[in-house]
Amino acid sequence: MSKLRVHNFCISLDGFGAGPRQDLEHPIGVGGHALHGWIFDTSYGRSMIGKSSGSAGLDDGMLRDGDENIGATIMGRNMFGPIRGPWDSDDAARAWRGWWGETPPYHHDVFVLTHHAREPLAMDGGTTFHFVTDGPLAALERAREAAAGADIRLGGGVGTVRDYIERGLVDTLHLAVVPVLLGSGERLFENDWRAAGYQCTEFEASDEVIHVQLVRQR
């Protein structure tokens, strides 16, 4: 059976996966941009934004591993964008098509958890966003069908990862611990992950971040 995986999920030293007050100017909350700087120092990260060069090594390899054998993605509405409420409540909600432009980097079906229905949104490059209103289990079932035997990536945000962790549904989770302090925001470790069956299996540092691998013990 396909696995549900989290990869390259960045958290601060004080445990926050996003800063406070997400909006159009602050996609990861105020100060949250500091969590992702290391990504765009790597060769793979720079290729995501159409640039060349960049570093190889551990960080670059972790980013590449995160895209291997992924056939579908699940994310929360907060990761999809800063718009709240019904999709037809104002012009911004109706027009919002994600953070990633007309060619998102997924190139497969993406299932967005939301309380408000919306028609599927097909984008260039093979990405289609599907808006799931009947909960995390339904999204996982649909993602498994779309992945056709490949694994499923759980993208975030923080609340979405916590929800699937609490349900014991995430098989593997890779965290990148970044040497910054956010002070407030959305904290990842709010519940007893050990009781949910997770153990640390790898712990390795580069010059930029510490990579932590957690695996659910069946």
Side-chain angles (χ1 to χ4, degrees):
M1 179 183 291
S2 62
K3 293 181 178 180
L4 181 62
R5 297 160 36 191
V6 173
H7 280 278
N8 302 301
F9 195 91
C10 304
I11 62 170
S12 64
L13 284 176
D14 47 351
F16 295 101
R21 301 186 298 281
Q22 181 201 37
D23 58 24
L24 191 60
E25 298 300 319
H26 304 94
I28 317 169
V30 175
H33 66 280
L35 298 175
H36 289 172
W38 66 276
I39 293 174
F40 302 106
D41 290 335
T42 68
S43 174
Y44 195 61
R46 290 180 66 81
S47 73
M48 295 177 191
I49 55 175
K51 295 186 178 181
S52 58
S53 69
S55 64
L58 177 62
D59 295 343
D60 189 67
M62 288 294 186
L63 289 170
R64 295 177 187 275
D65 288 347
D67 282 341
E68 286 294 320
N69 193 40
I70 296 293
T73 293
I74 298 171
M75 66 175 64
R77 181 166 175 176
N78 286 9
M79 183 173 174
F80 181 71
I83 306 300
R84 303 293 182 261
W87 294 106
D88 59 355
S89 61
D90 57 46
D91 289 340
R94 285 194 296 271
W96 186 259
R97 297 168 67 84
W99 297 106
W100 306 277
E102 290 302 307
T103 309
Y106 300 101
H107 312 298
H108 53 232
D109 289 315
V110 177
F111 297 88
V112 181
L113 292 161
T114 176
H115 295 295
H116 302 280
R118 181 176 177 177
E119 291 297 314
L121 178 61
M123 309 290 284
D124 294 342
T127 299
T128 298
F129 293 105
H130 303 270
F131 301 91
V132 182
T133 59
D134 43 359
L137 296 179
L140 181 56
E141 183 177 350
R142 292 180 61 182
R144 281 209 171 105
E145 182 178 357
D151 291 339
I152 301 150
R153 176 172 46 214
L154 182 59
V158 175
T160 299
V161 172
R162 283 204 312 258
D163 192 356
Y164 279 93
I165 288 285
E166 290 167 16
R167 297 169 187 266
L169 294 173
V170 179
D171 294 290
T172 64
L173 186 139
H174 162 234
L175 301 177
V177 184
V178 183
V180 299
L181 297 170
L182 291 185
S184 63
E186 295 186 62
R187 192 184 298 276
L188 183 62
F189 292 100
E190 290 285 6
N191 300 95
D192 189 345
W193 288 35
R194 182 176 178 179
Y198 293 93
Q199 294 183 7
C200 180
T201 58
E202 295 181 40
F203 186 88
E204 190 172 7
S206 71
D207 291 338
E208 302 290 335
V209 297
I210 297 172
H211 297 280
V212 179
Q213 300 277 3
L214 301 174
V215 174
R216 179 169 61 90
Q217 306 300 311
R218 296 182 182 273

